[in-house]
Amino acid sequence: MASMMVVPALAAEAQAGASADDGLDTIVVTAAAGDKTKLKSSISVTSVSNQAIMDFTPRSEAEVLRSIPGLNLQDTAGPGGNANIGVRGLPVSTGGSEYVALQEDGLPVTLFGDIQFGNNDYWLRFDNNVDRVEAVRGGSSSTFASQAPGAVINYVSKTGDKEGGSVGVTTGVNYREQRVDFNFGTRINDTLRFHIGGFVKDGNGPTHIGYTASKGYQIKANITKDFDDGKGYIRFSVKRLDAQDPTFTSMPSLAQLSGTKITGFKNIPGIDARKYASTGAYNHHFTILNAEGNLEQVEMQGIHPVSTAFGNEFHYEFNDNLTVHNAFRWTDMRGTFSNMWTGEALTANAAAGGSFKYAAGPMVGQTYNGTYINNSAQAYVRMKDVGSLADDLKITGKFETNGANVTVNTGVFFMRQDIAMDWRLNNAYQTLDGNHNPVPLDLFDAGGDQLTANGLTGFNNQWGGCCGGRSYDLTYTDIAPYLNVDTKIGALNLDASVRFDSVKATGVTFAPVEGENITVTDALGSASLPTYNTSSTIYEILDYTKSYVSWSFGALYEIDNNTSAFIRVSRGGRFNADRLIYGKAFNKDGSLSVGGNALSVNYVTQQELGIKKRGRIGEAAFNAELTLYRAQVTENNYDFTAPSLGRDPNISATFHSYGAEFASNLRYGNFSLVVTGNYNRTKDITNGATPGAQPKLTYRVSPSYDTGVAAIGFTADGQTSSLTGMASASGDPGVQYTIPGQTYFNAFVKVRPYTGLELGMNVNNLFNKLGYRGNGGIVTDTIRNGAGVFDNSAMLGRTISASLKYKF
C-alpha cells in the first residue's frame, strides 16, 4: 500500500533521541497569531515532526494524525482517504471530518471536511515535502479558521531554509509495491531559496488486488524571495497530485456474540479480513448508465484525486508595530471515486429459492455454492469539480499601553468552493469466498430465468433508487472577517477573538427519476434491468446566504520559564453544505426552508483548562501537556441513505462530552519516548444514549533508540472497548454491540553503514492481529449459532517493507 511505503523511503534524518514533538519553544503558526511559542499559547496545540511521523509507519493520512491526542480516527479506509476524523467526542454522523479542517500551509484543502465523495483527506499526501504537522484542538480553531470549531490540522511545508535532500527507493517485502521518493532544498543566494520534492509509486498493495490498484505521483515545489531588509518574503508554490489508491470500505470477519458483547473475531472460512479486497480482475472494469442515458464502461480506480494548485504568500513587517501577511491559493481538483462495497448475506437467503451462477472467470456458468454472498453497491462517482480559490489577508499591529503589550490581528478570509458531482451507484452481486479476484454472480429464479447481468440487479438503483443517479453543480463562497486582541501584562496573557462567517450558496441539483428497463447481455444470457437516471430536470435551486458568529476567549499564566497554565472558552459555527441537498431543505426560489434553516449551521461550544511543562528528570529532558475539556454540540444533519434503511434521514441531537488530552516526550541520550493519550466520555443528551465509535481511552506509546549508526523503535497504538453505533442482530436500533478494545504494534529498524546511506525495514501490525478500530456492526442476515459476520474496515495484516535511501 502506497502510504505504508512512505516511511522507510523517507526515513528520518539520523539524529539521536528524535522526538515526536518539536518542543514548547516552537512558534505556533496554525489557527494562531503566529508570534507565540506553544508554551505561551493559551490553546491545545501539538506539532509532530516529519521524522517522527516517518519513523512510526503511517498507512494513510488519518494514521499520520494518530500521534495527536483528542482525535477520534476511524482511519482504516485505506491510503486514498475517506476516513472519519472526529475530535473531543464530537460526532461523525454522516462521515468525513465535519468539525476538523485539514490545511496546507495555513489554507484549507477544502472548505468543508465532509464533502460527499470528496472528503478533505482525499487531496493530501504526506511525504518529505512536509516539515511538520501542527494541530490545534478547540479554542482558536473557531475564530482563526472557518468551518473548523473542533480542530485545525496544518501540513507545514519545507521552504529551502535548510540545505540538503534525499532520494529513496522502497519495496514491499510480502506484497507488491514500489515507490521512489525525493526532496531537495537549498539557498540560491542570500535572499533566494527553494524546495522541491515528491514521489512516484506503483503496485497492488497488501490485499493483493488482481490489478495495479495503487499508482501515481505527487510533486510539490516552492521558491522564496527574502527581502533585502530582512523584514519579510514573497513565496510562490505549485503542487501536482495524481494518485490512485484502493479504498477498503468493508473487510468482514466472524464475531462471537455474548448478549450484546462481541467477544472476539475470527476469519470467515476462506476469507482473511486482513487481506480482503472487494475488487479484482473481474470487476476492474464495469458498466454504468451515465447522465446522458448511455451505457458506459468505466474502470475501478478506488479513490483517484487529480489536483493542480498554485499558491502565493506575501509577508512584510513595515515596522516594529505593523505586519501584513497574505496567503493565496488557486486549486483545480477533480477525479473519481469507484469502489465495490461489501454487503454480506447468506447465499441461500439472497437466492430466495433460486440460484447464483458465476458470470465470469474460469467457472463461468457453474453454480456458486459459497456460504456468503456480496450484495452491495458498485459505485462510480465523477468528482467533476472540487476546485477552490482561497485568500487570507491578515494585518497585525503591536503597541504598548499602560504597561501592557497589546497585539491586534485583523483580517479577511475568502474561499470559493465548487462541488460538482455525478453519482452512478449500481447494486451488484459477487462472490464472497476469499478469492483475491471476486467474481460477478448472476441470479436465476427457480424457473431458470436470468434476473441479473454481469452481477448487476439494475443501474443507479442503490439505496432504494434515491441516490444511485445524482448530479449537481454547486458553489459555496465564504467571506469571513475576523479580529483577535491579545494583551500581555507581566506573566498574564489575555486574548479574545471573533469571526463573522457569511456563506453564499448557489447552484442546482438534478432529479433522479425512474427510467425504462434496459436489456443487458452477458456470458450467461440476458436480463432486463431496472434503471434510475439523472434527468435534465432541475430538482433544487440553491440561492441563499447564511451568516453566523464564532468567538473565543483565553487566558494564560506563565508560572515560570518552564511552566504555564491556561483556560479558554469558545463557540464556533460549522456550515452544512452539500449534505443538505435532496433533503427538502430549500424553497422553490432557492432560499432555505424552515427545516433547512435549522440544519444549516451547527454550533460547538468548548471549555478548556490546560497546563504545559518542560524540564528535566535527572539527565532526561521532557515536555508534557495536559488539557481538560468539555464540549457541547447540537448536531443537525441529513443522512440521505437512511430512508432505504427505514430510518429518519433528519439528524438532530445534542451531545455533551468531557475528557482529558495528554502529550509528552522524553529524551535521555540516544533514547526517546513519546506518549500521547485521550480519555473521553460522550453522551447523547437528546436520546439518553452513549454514541457509538467513541472509546473511553485511546493511547500511543512510541519508544525509540538511535545511536546514529543504527536505530530501532516501535509503537503501541490502542484503544479501549466502545459501542459499535450499529443496531443489534435483533434489528432493534436501541440495542448496540460492544466492540472490544485493540492494541496494534508497528516497528522499524534502520542501519547507516556509510555517511548519507540508510537501509531500513518497517513492519505494520507486527503481530498480525485481526481487529477493527472504527465503527461497524453485525449483519443481521448472517446470524448463526451465536456468531455473525462483522462488517467494517479491518486493520491490515502484517506488512513488511524495505528501503534504501541516500541523504545528501
Side-chain angles (χ1 to χ4, degrees), residues 16 63 115 140 235 265 277 347 369 674 801 808:
E63 285 206 0
I115 294 173
S140 57
R235 177 177 300 135
F265 300 103
T347 303
N369 295 313
V674 179
S801 57
F808 52 89

Side-chain angles (χ1 to χ4, degrees), residues 11 15 17 132 153 159 271 301 345 405 411 434 500 560 665:
Q15 177 183 346
R132 68 186 185 277
I153 301 169
T159 60
I271 299 175
Q301 297 181 338
N405 295 319
F500 302 89
D560 55 40
N665 67 79

Side-chain angles (χ1 to χ4, degrees), residues 468-525:
R470 283 188 170 187
S471 287
Y472 47 92
D473 191 346
L474 312 171
T475 298
Y476 298 88
T477 303
D478 190 348
I479 300 175
Y482 56 90
L483 173 68
N484 170 262
V485 179
D486 184 284
T487 302
K488 179 175 172 56
I489 307 171
L492 179 65
N493 290 261
L494 302 173
D495 74 89
S497 54
V498 63
R499 188 180 190 92
F500 302 89
D501 279 277
S502 181
V503 184
K504 172 71 173 178
T506 59
V508 294
T509 72
F510 296 97
V513 296
E514 188 172 359
E516 297 181 356
N517 282 22
I518 295 177
T519 299
V520 178
T521 301
D522 66 3
L524 303 185

Side-chain angles (χ1 to χ4, degrees), residues 401-434:
T401 178
N402 298 324
N405 295 319
V406 180
T407 300
V408 178
N409 289 280
T410 185
V412 179
F413 170 80
F414 169 91
M415 189 165 182
R416 187 194 68 232
Q417 177 70 63
D418 296 323
I419 307 176
M421 298 278 185
D422 183 74
W423 300 15
R424 308 286 111 187
L425 277 70
N426 306 329
N427 189 80
Y429 292 119
Q430 70 178 32
T431 59
L432 185 58
D433 58 3

Side-chain angles (χ1 to χ4, degrees), residues 278-600:
S278 59
T279 59
Y282 299 117
N283 64 0
H284 184 199
H285 295 87
F286 61 102
T287 304
I288 63 169
L289 180 65
N290 63 28
E292 290 72 39
N294 301 316
L295 297 181
E296 179 184 349
Q297 286 288 307
V298 295
E299 183 181 358
M300 192 76 73
Q301 297 181 338
I303 297 176
H304 184 183
V306 180
S307 174
T308 303
F310 296 96
N312 167 258
E313 283 185 63
F314 172 81
H315 181 91
Y316 194 75
E317 301 172 11
F318 287 90
N319 52 49
D320 293 339
N321 304 108
L322 181 64
T323 300
V324 173
H325 183 92
N326 191 78
F328 166 86
R329 182 187 296 131
W330 171 87
T331 307
D332 178 88
M333 299 196 305
R334 58 192 70 239
T336 58
F337 177 102
S338 45
N339 180 59
M340 179 71 199
W341 270 278
T342 300
E344 305 83 357
L346 289 167
T347 303
N349 291 352
S355 62
F356 287 100
K357 295 182 180 181
Y358 290 90
M363 299 179 68
V364 62
Q366 297 183 35
T367 299
Y368 173 72
N369 295 313
T371 302
Y372 301 101
I373 193 171
N374 182 7
N375 174 21
S376 194
Q378 191 177 69
Y380 189 83
V381 176
R382 285 189 172 95
M383 300 178 278
K384 297 192 293 185
D385 185 1
V386 198
S388 61
L389 181 70
D391 189 88
D392 193 1
L393 171 64
K394 181 170 66 176
I395 301 172
T396 302
K398 297 181 179 181
F399 56 92
E400 294 185 15
T401 178
N402 298 324
N405 295 319
V406 180
T407 300
V408 178
N409 289 280
T410 185
V412 179
F413 170 80
F414 169 91
M415 189 165 182
R416 187 194 68 232
Q417 177 70 63
D418 296 323
I419 307 176
M421 298 278 185
D422 183 74
W423 300 15
R424 308 286 111 187
L425 277 70
N426 306 329
N427 189 80
Y429 292 119
Q430 70 178 32
T431 59
L432 185 58
D433 58 3
N435 191 323
H436 285 304
N437 285 299
V439 181
L441 295 173
D442 279 342
L443 175 63
F444 290 78
D445 65 17
D449 295 323
Q450 184 173 340
L451 304 180
T452 67
N454 295 314
L456 298 177
T457 68
F459 291 103
N460 306 327
N461 63 333
Q462 255 295 327
W463 296 322
C466 78
C467 321
R470 283 188 170 187
S471 287
Y472 47 92
D473 191 346
L474 312 171
T475 298
Y476 298 88
T477 303
D478 190 348
I479 300 175
Y482 56 90
L483 173 68
N484 170 262
V485 179
D486 184 284
T487 302
K488 179 175 172 56
I489 307 171
L492 179 65
N493 290 261
L494 302 173
D495 74 89
S497 54
V498 63
R499 188 180 190 92
F500 302 89
D501 279 277
S502 181
V503 184
K504 172 71 173 178
T506 59
V508 294
T509 72
F510 296 97
V513 296
E514 188 172 359
E516 297 181 356
N517 282 22
I518 295 177
T519 299
V520 178
T521 301
D522 66 3
L524 303 185
S526 61
S528 180
L529 304 181
T531 68
Y532 288 82
N533 198 16
T534 303
S535 73
S536 59
T537 302
I538 292 176
Y539 181 72
E540 296 169 319
I541 296 174
L542 278 67
D543 186 8
Y544 68 94
T545 300
K546 185 71 176 181
S547 301
Y548 50 96
V549 178
S550 303
W551 51 261
S552 184
F553 300 95
L556 178 138
Y557 187 76
E558 300 175 35
I559 299 172
D560 55 40
N561 290 333
N562 297 312
T563 311
S564 62
F566 73 91
I567 59 172
R568 180 169 289 276
V569 294
S570 59
R571 187 189 83 152
R574 197 279 179 188
F575 182 88
N576 283 328
D578 62 316
R579 296 279 174 175
L580 295 187
I581 60 176
Y582 296 98
K584 299 180 180 180
F586 313 105
N587 299 314
K588 289 183 178 180
D589 63 356
S591 61
L592 285 168
S593 66
V594 174
N597 187 66
L599 294 171
S600 59

